[in-house]
Amino acid sequence: MRQNHTTQVCIIGAGPAGLLLSQLLANAGVRSIVIDRQDRTYIEARVRAGVLEQGTVDALNEAGVGARMAREGLPHSGFDLAFDGDRHRIDLAALTGQSVMVYGQTEVTRDLFEKRIAEGAQFFFNVSDVVPSDLKSDSPTVSFQHDGQPVTITCDYIAGCDGFRGVSRQAIPAEVLKTYERVYPFGWLGVLTERPPVSHELIYANHERGFALCSMRSNTRSRYYVQCNLTDTVEDWSDDRFWQELSRRIGPDAAADLQTGPSFEKSIAPLRSFVAEPMRYGNMFLAGDAAHIVPPTGAKGLNLAVADVRILSRALIEHYKNGNDHHIDSYSAQVLARVWKVERFSWQLSTLMHQFPDHSPFEKKMQRAEFDYLVQSEAASRSIAENYVGLPLD
Ligand code: FAS
Ligand code: PHB
């Protein structure tokens, strides 16, 4: 027996994009139903981003979920770039007047889930066979299986917030969809450990053996990454091997302060730059990783998803409150203009900070020359800084 539901916006995906969209819409009285192929526990446990732009902090405060972030988050006013042991601090506060917030995506997701569920939001978890349909009609539908039952949600709009491997992007006809991709010839091996971070700020290091990043989740929990081969598995990387490699890549001064310990999370993520156009088809909108992926070097993935949602929620609320579809009609062009600029920054910083197997000696010299130029030029450092704290929304 098919279950039928109706709502104003059906949101596919309960990651940060889908959850934040649902909350911002609810705060404006717009109804939504959120579906996900996983459950809350699985989604909250995914260890991903760690750095929030001010725009993301503002959006979470606007959504009413910023209290714990204000208590537990770590404001950072700069970060270090290191090149074969030389270090250069990008002084975000002096160069842009802004800072970033170190607060893990797992915490953002937890805060959003807590508020959504406390407010009685409607979720379907562990769904399968999700099919968005009738996207060009005024009543698009999303059909799926849930608890062995067929379910259909009829809505005004569908928000595809289902990440890189979701179904919403695939629902756009092939003759309409254009995709752009750069796959990097390496991955990031990340670990979490209950040890104080090696430095009070992040360190991005390019060493002849490869990239390394020293980050954190709190003053007692550190997050570290090393560039690794795409063929590597976590089994190839014992904790001892990881700490030895990280120490070599961050240089002796930083390594002297490194407190190593057992890792309690270890995972490898591939790196890619990816954009799908358009981000709207009929009455379906894409937001977040469903439409674009950036290499994590610039700490942009989560922040870009939030920026999409801020623009999409404003457009949908304008429609329902004032019957004005100007922002809905301009959504795809507006978000993509910013997406491409953020893709550029993430690609630029990834190209600067990693060892590429096919780089010639000339290209290695270009990397060093760009680092030396950053050290010497306030204008060059300001360019990095203004992208890192987050480009304007409009
Ligand atoms: P998400 O992928 O977070 O959420 C999509 C949701 O849709 C998931 O819950 C999924 O279960 C659901 N879904 C998928 N298919 C579905 C279907 N068919 N039906 C229903 N639901 C479906 N960003 C950074 O800034 N820094 C980092 O260090 C960083 N590290 C990362 C490491 C990894 C391994 C990955 C994959 C990403 C990383 N990112 C990082 C990027 C990441 O943070 C994303 O940008 C962020 O999760 C985007 O949020 P969403 O767009 O909500 O997508
Ligand atoms: C993290 O803390 O996970 C992190 C921080 C900055 C990045 C990428 C990941 O650029």
Side-chain angles (χ1 to χ4, degrees):
M1 176 68 176
R2 179 167 293 276
Q3 285 181 38
N4 291 299
H5 299 266
T6 61
T7 189
Q8 290 173 306
V9 182
C10 180
I11 299 172
I12 308 175
L19 290 171
L20 179 60
L21 178 62
S22 175
Q23 189 60 56
L24 291 174
L25 292 178
N27 290 354
V30 178
R31 289 176 291 111
S32 66
I33 294 176
V34 184
I35 72 172
D36 202 294
R37 66 182 175 189
Q38 306 291 354
D39 63 17
R40 176 181 177 183
T41 304
Y42 182 94
I43 297 166
E44 283 187 356
R46 283 191 308 228
V47 179
R48 288 186 171 169
V51 173
L52 308 183
E53 298 172 355
Q54 185 58 48
T56 297
V57 171
D58 295 345
L60 295 173
N61 285 327
E62 180 190 338
V65 296
R68 191 162 71 97
M69 172 179 60
R71 290 196 308 272
E72 300 176 11
L74 301 172
H76 278 207
S77 61
F79 64 90
D80 279 359
L81 293 175
F83 227 92
D84 283 338
D86 296 329
R87 273 168 71 170
H88 170 58
R89 182 170 186 265
I90 300 289
D91 188 339
L92 300 172
L95 291 165
T96 69
Q98 296 187 62
S99 61
V100 293
M101 176 73 81
V102 170
Y103 189 69
Q105 178 171 327
T106 50
E107 309 316 312
V108 171
T109 309
R110 187 178 133 202
D111 295 340
L112 283 164
F113 262 127
E114 280 177 4
K115 186 167 175 64
R116 287 284 61 216
I117 288 169
E119 292 182 356
Q122 190 171 3
F123 287 95
F124 286 91
F125 292 116
N126 300 312
V127 303
S128 61
D129 307 317
V130 176
V131 180
S133 303
D134 305 316
L135 303 182
K136 287 279 195 181
S137 80
D138 290 340
S139 304
T141 61
V142 179
S143 299
F144 52 92
Q145 290 289 323
H146 179 254
D147 282 349
Q149 296 295 320
V151 181
T152 294
I153 297 174
T154 302
C155 52
D156 301 329
Y157 297 106
I158 296 170
C161 301
D162 47 349
F164 184 63
R165 304 195 189 289
V167 294
S168 55
R169 185 176 70 245
Q170 315 302 339
I172 298 178
E175 62 271 20
V176 174
L177 189 70
K178 289 188 178 62
T179 61
Y180 307 82
E181 186 168 53
R182 162 96 156 94
V183 177
Y184 296 84
F186 41 74
W188 278 20
L189 168 71
V191 303
L192 279 172
T193 187
E194 284 299 346
R195 289 290 186 279
V198 67
S199 169
H200 68 294
E201 292 180 332
L202 272 62
I203 304 173
Y204 293 80
N206 182 343
H207 183 275
E208 63 183 9
R209 295 178 63 86
F211 169 83
L213 170 59
C214 301
S215 184
M216 64 197 76
R217 290 293 178 270
S218 70
N219 291 322
T220 58
R221 177 173 292 188
S222 298
R223 177 71 166 165
Y224 295 107
Y225 298 92
V226 295
Q227 173 184 343
C228 65
N229 297 324
L230 282 174
T231 52
D232 283 1
T233 65
V234 291
E235 289 71 29
D236 295 327
W237 285 86
S238 67
D239 282 2
D240 287 346
R241 180 187 176 194
F242 180 86
W243 295 124
Q244 188 179 45
E245 195 59 42
L246 180 71
S247 300
R248 295 176 77 168
R249 296 185 187 186
I250 61 177
D253 292 349
D257 298 328
L258 180 63
Q259 294 189 46
T260 65
S263 65
F264 65 88
E265 197 276 347
K266 191 179 283 180
S267 55
I268 292 178
L271 272 67
R272 79 176 70 240
S273 299
F274 175 85
V275 179
E277 295 183 344
M279 287 178 58
R280 175 196 183 184
Y281 180 76
N283 287 317
M284 183 181 74
F285 304 91
L286 303 182
D289 278 18
H292 41 70
I293 296 288
V294 284
T297 324
K300 291 301 161 208
L302 173 59
N303 292 298
L304 204 43
V306 168
D308 291 352
V309 165
R310 296 179 76 191
I311 294 170
L312 180 56
S313 60
R314 180 177 65 185
L316 291 168
I317 292 165
E318 184 65 13
H319 165 81
Y320 285 109
K321 291 292 181 199
N322 304 321
N324 178 344
D325 285 356
H326 167 69
H327 289 306
I328 276 186
D329 293 337
S330 62
Y331 170 75
S332 183
Q334 183 180 357
V335 284
L336 281 166
R338 189 174 185 281
V339 164
W340 279 111
K341 283 181 265 188
V342 176
E343 288 281 347
R344 182 209 65 83
F345 170 67
S346 303
W347 162 81
Q348 175 201 28
L349 200 58
S350 301
T351 304
L352 173 64
M353 297 308 293
H354 289 82
Q355 292 292 307
F356 288 73
D358 62 351
H359 262 186
S360 65
F362 176 81
E363 284 157 316
K364 290 181 187 295
K365 280 290 189 182
M366 286 299 97
Q367 282 186 321
R368 179 72 213 205
E370 184 166 350
F371 175 79
D372 292 339
Y373 176 50
L374 278 173
V375 173
Q376 169 219 344
S377 163
E378 185 177 299
S381 287
R382 178 171 288 111
S383 172
I384 295 286
E386 70 180 14
N387 279 279
Y388 197 85
V389 298
L391 297 177
L393 205 56
D394 296 307

